[in-house]
Amino acid sequence: QVQLVESGGGSVQAGGSLRLSCAGSGYTIGMGWFRQAPGKEREGVAHIYTGSGHTAYADSVKGRFTISQDKSKNTLYLQMNSLKPEDTAMYYCAARTSNDGLWYDRRQYTIWGQGTQVTVSS
């Protein structure tokens, strides 16, 4: 059973950068980053197919965030630049075990990490 452990969250001012890591990734069809802000639903942020490396992003982060993987380390990354207060949320990595839906559909993922908090102040 794959276990995922996120790290790299923290507090940063608007315009700053953070890099999230997710150890234990790479054994499934794809990997995704999701986030959940208080009172809001969990939403897809980025996705990468572990085989081809093809990526996809939510419109809200396109051009600012970059998802990548290091297969030799079984680690997934999310580089977040030009952070905004609205990026504040708990960030989760997830292993995609189904490929019959859209990448941001949470039902495609059956293995989740415990989350890491990102707080962006204005």
Side-chain angles (χ1 to χ4, degrees):
Q1 175 78 357
V2 174
Q3 290 187 320
L4 304 175
V5 180
E6 301 99 333
S7 61
S11 297
V12 65
Q13 288 192 324
S17 298
L18 285 173
R19 188 177 80 157
L20 306 184
S21 299
C22 172
S25 64
Y27 298 101
T28 56
I29 298 167
M31 295 295 300
W33 285 101
F34 286 75
R35 67 185 181 187
Q36 188 167 18
K40 294 189 177 181
E41 293 215 352
R42 193 170 297 190
E43 62 175 357
V45 175
H47 174 269
I48 186 168
Y49 279 106
T50 53
S52 67
H54 184 266
T55 60
Y57 297 91
D59 287 343
S60 59
V61 307
K62 206 170 289 184
R64 299 189 298 122
F65 290 11
T66 303
I67 187 171
S68 62
Q69 58 182 350
D70 185 334
K71 293 182 180 180
S72 67
K73 297 181 180 179
N74 291 327
T75 300
L76 180 75
Y77 301 101
L78 184 68
Q79 178 67 44
M80 306 186 295
N81 298 328
S82 302
L83 283 161
K84 304 175 181 180
E86 51 262 44
D87 294 319
T88 295
M90 185 71 79
Y91 283 71
Y92 301 87
C93 66
R96 186 177 184 182
T97 52
S98 179
N99 197 26
D100 59 359
L102 298 172
W103 70 264
Y104 49 82
D105 182 350
R106 288 174 291 168
R107 293 172 297 181
Q108 302 291 306
Y109 304 80
T110 57
I111 304 168
W112 294 80
Q114 83 288 350
T116 185
Q117 178 68 37
V118 171
T119 302
V120 185
S121 58
S122 58

